[in-house]
Amino acid sequence: MSMAVVGLIAGMALGFAGYFGGFGAFLLVAALGAVGLVAGRFLDGDLDPGEFFQTRGRGERRR
């Protein structure tokens, strides 16, 4: 499935949530979609959980 189709489906889901459930439902669907995106990228191996908790030492710059 192409990313354009995935974006279309996500946009339609947010639109339906906003229309039928109001702004609170829109925010809930958007937040759960973001959680699902992070979980999916983690399961695909595109995301390392250590990236969220990594601290910078003194003098180290991340590029």
Side-chain angles (χ1 to χ4, degrees):
M1 186 180 305
S2 73
M3 292 306 292
V5 173
V6 172
L8 174 67
I9 292 170
M12 289 176 65
L14 287 172
F16 280 119
Y19 182 77
F20 291 110
F23 188 67
F26 173 81
L27 290 178
L28 178 64
V29 170
L32 291 176
V35 169
L37 174 70
V38 170
R41 294 199 69 145
F42 173 71
L43 291 174
D44 280 344
D46 294 337
L47 190 63
D48 182 27
E51 293 177 5
F52 291 112
F53 306 110
Q54 188 175 20
T55 60
R56 291 188 194 173
R58 281 190 169 185
E60 291 182 18
R61 291 191 180 174
R62 225 172 156 190
R63 293 183 186 188

